[in-house]
Amino acid sequence: MKVKGKLVFLLALLLVALVAVAGCGGSSDSGSSGSGSGDAPEEAPKTVKTIRISNGINDKHPAYLAGLEFAKIVESKTDTLKVEVYHSGQLGDDRTATEALQLGTLEAVVTSTSPIANFIPEYAIFDLPFIFADYQVADSVLDGPFGDQMLEMLPDQGLIGLAFWENGFRNVTNSKRAIATVADTDGLKIRTMENKVHLDAWKALGANPTPMAFTELFTAMQQRTVDGQENPLITIELSKFYEVQDHVSLTNHVYTPFVFLISKIFWDGLTAEEQQIIQEAAYESRDWQRAEIRKQTEGSLDTLKANGMTVTELTDEARAEFEAAVRPVIDKYKTEIGAELVDFMFEEIDKARK
Ligand code: KDG
């Protein structure tokens, strides 16, 4: 019996010891903190902010592809920002999307500068015909002090301009006839962007211009509501305008920048680190976009020819005639935009051409 009693006592002792050890293991989790909570404090979940970027052209265009590059760069640098890229006006045309940024109901848009002139009259400066001679001049002026001054006008309109990307040099197409001289534009119903300078320039050339959002343009040409339009070759190619247009003339009459805009309401809600990541990514994807659009544009003319479009080069004499016809438009808008700003731009252009 004694032996049995001892055995029971030893077993009881062992049980108590086991319980004591198990209890210490739990407390080690609460460990040195002494919090006694038993679990390490949960890290507060991070708030992820989503940037939706709108653009009006389709998902083959370098503006959309550069948006994807921008997304990759931003998301590789932080887990607090997510980027979604939209094309073909899925979130609205340029003007609608820009208004949504001002309201804070959309975060970003890559838009032509032309519709911005409806918010900031000085932005019509980019629509003055025949001002940028080539890509190098355009890059130098847009990325220099003049471009910075233009971007600084945006915050008062609830917009932050991150960088200028490239839409490109614009060429006119139509379904009626080849345009080799100013006289050939006579009476043509030409769609323009919603911008007074474009409207006045095509009136000065004898056409019958009508403003229209890009998202409505293909249907308007298909239904012959308009005879023609004007856009960079890459846009004409990738939007398949050759399906509804027969003639393209290499006027290169305006260089349109894209401007990458962010809603100021959204921007002001970001940390300084997030703002820096976005700004640097906008510059990096700008350089990618310009290289990509220029590379792709090299093949556009052959594609347009292969799809049945006639291509007309302007003679020097015809180009001089186009430039003379729109000169009064430049003079008119130099006054409206402000002579000092226009002169500053031309000074920067002259510097870039040296
Ligand atoms: O978002 C870009 C397009 O919507 C548009 O700006 C392209 O140049 C263009 C046009 O003719 O409207």
Side-chain angles (χ1 to χ4, degrees):
M1 197 46 159
K2 267 187 180 175
V3 172
K4 194 177 175 185
K6 272 188 182 170
L7 199 56
V8 169
F9 175 71
L10 280 173
L11 278 174
L13 205 61
L14 182 62
L15 195 60
V16 167
L18 281 172
V19 169
V21 166
C24 280
S27 64
S28 66
D29 288 352
S30 52
S32 54
S33 70
S35 65
S37 64
D39 292 318
E42 288 290 316
E43 206 177 293
K46 286 200 174 97
T47 310
V48 178
K49 293 158 228 165
T50 300
I51 302 170
R52 294 167 295 161
I53 307 175
S54 171
N55 181 261
I57 313 180
N58 64 31
D59 57 354
K60 306 288 185 303
H61 192 278
Y64 173 77
L65 301 178
L68 298 179
E69 284 300 307
F70 172 82
K72 267 194 284 191
I73 296 165
V74 168
E75 293 177 0
S76 70
K77 292 187 176 179
T78 175
D79 56 3
T80 63
L81 293 173
K82 186 171 172 300
V83 180
E84 295 173 359
V85 192
Y86 293 85
H87 56 83
S88 307
Q90 294 164 314
L91 301 182
D93 58 63
D94 286 357
R95 185 169 182 164
T96 307
T98 303
E99 288 164 348
L101 264 61
Q102 291 175 314
L103 294 169
T105 54
L106 179 62
E107 296 75 40
V109 60
V110 173
T111 170
S112 288
T113 52
S114 306
I116 303 298
N118 297 296
F119 305 94
I120 306 173
E122 291 86 348
Y123 265 65
I125 201 166
F126 294 114
D127 301 294
L128 296 178
F130 302 111
I131 55 170
F132 288 154
D134 55 38
Y135 292 135
Q136 182 270 328
V137 170
D139 294 354
S140 176
V141 173
L142 292 171
D143 299 347
F146 170 77
D148 292 345
Q149 185 170 330
M150 295 307 291
L151 294 178
E152 283 156 16
M153 297 178 191
L154 291 161
D156 283 350
Q157 295 297 320
L159 304 166
I160 299 292
L162 295 172
F164 288 107
W165 289 10
E166 179 157 292
N167 189 348
F169 285 99
R170 309 180 75 88
N171 298 280
V172 63
T173 68
N174 80 94
S175 58
K176 295 264 180 155
R177 54 182 173 265
I179 296 173
T181 65
V182 169
D184 295 328
T185 64
D186 197 38
L188 286 177
K189 289 180 289 185
I190 300 288
R191 172 270 177 179
T192 73
M193 291 187 283
E194 295 161 293
N195 176 286
K196 293 190 301 186
V197 180
H198 281 257
L199 285 167
D200 282 0
W202 286 98
K203 282 176 191 161
L205 290 166
N208 176 14
T210 181
M212 184 183 296
F214 185 79
T215 46
E216 298 160 24
L217 176 53
F218 189 94
T219 305
M221 294 187 290
Q222 199 170 36
Q223 296 174 349
R224 295 287 188 267
T225 314
V226 295
D227 300 320
Q229 64 83 48
E230 42 83 57
N231 249 291
L233 294 177
I234 186 77
T235 302
I236 298 166
E237 175 199 1
L238 297 178
S239 306
K240 296 188 176 177
F241 288 172
Y242 49 78
E243 291 178 354
V244 290
Q245 296 281 271
D246 302 316
H247 310 284
V248 59
S249 296
L250 304 184
T251 48
N252 286 316
H253 52 278
V254 166
Y255 175 89
T256 302
F258 279 138
V259 59
F260 188 171
L261 298 175
I262 278 236
S263 163
K264 189 174 184 303
I265 294 172
F266 178 76
W267 180 260
D268 290 347
L270 299 173
T271 65
E273 185 198 4
E274 290 169 333
Q275 290 178 350
Q276 186 177 352
I277 287 170
I278 289 168
Q279 183 61 76
E280 288 171 357
Y283 285 145
E284 200 175 327
S285 40
R286 168 198 64 193
D287 298 343
W288 186 93
Q289 194 263 349
R290 285 174 176 168
E292 182 65 18
I293 196 168
R294 292 165 190 177
K295 185 176 74 180
Q296 286 201 30
T297 298
E298 284 169 12
S300 296
L301 214 43
D302 287 343
T303 306
L304 299 184
K305 286 176 187 169
N307 283 280
M309 291 191 85
T310 71
V311 176
T312 302
E313 302 253 11
L314 297 187
T315 62
D316 290 348
E317 187 188 2
R319 181 168 295 282
E321 193 192 16
F322 270 88
E323 292 184 5
V326 297
R327 182 75 234 170
V329 176
I330 295 177
D331 296 340
K332 171 185 176 184
Y333 283 97
K334 177 171 180 177
T335 307
E336 281 202 22
I337 293 164
E340 191 179 336
L341 184 64
V342 174
D343 288 343
F344 178 35
M345 177 185 68
F346 279 114
E347 283 163 20
E348 290 298 298
I349 289 172
D350 289 343
K351 273 188 214 163
R353 299 182 74 161
K354 284 188 175 82

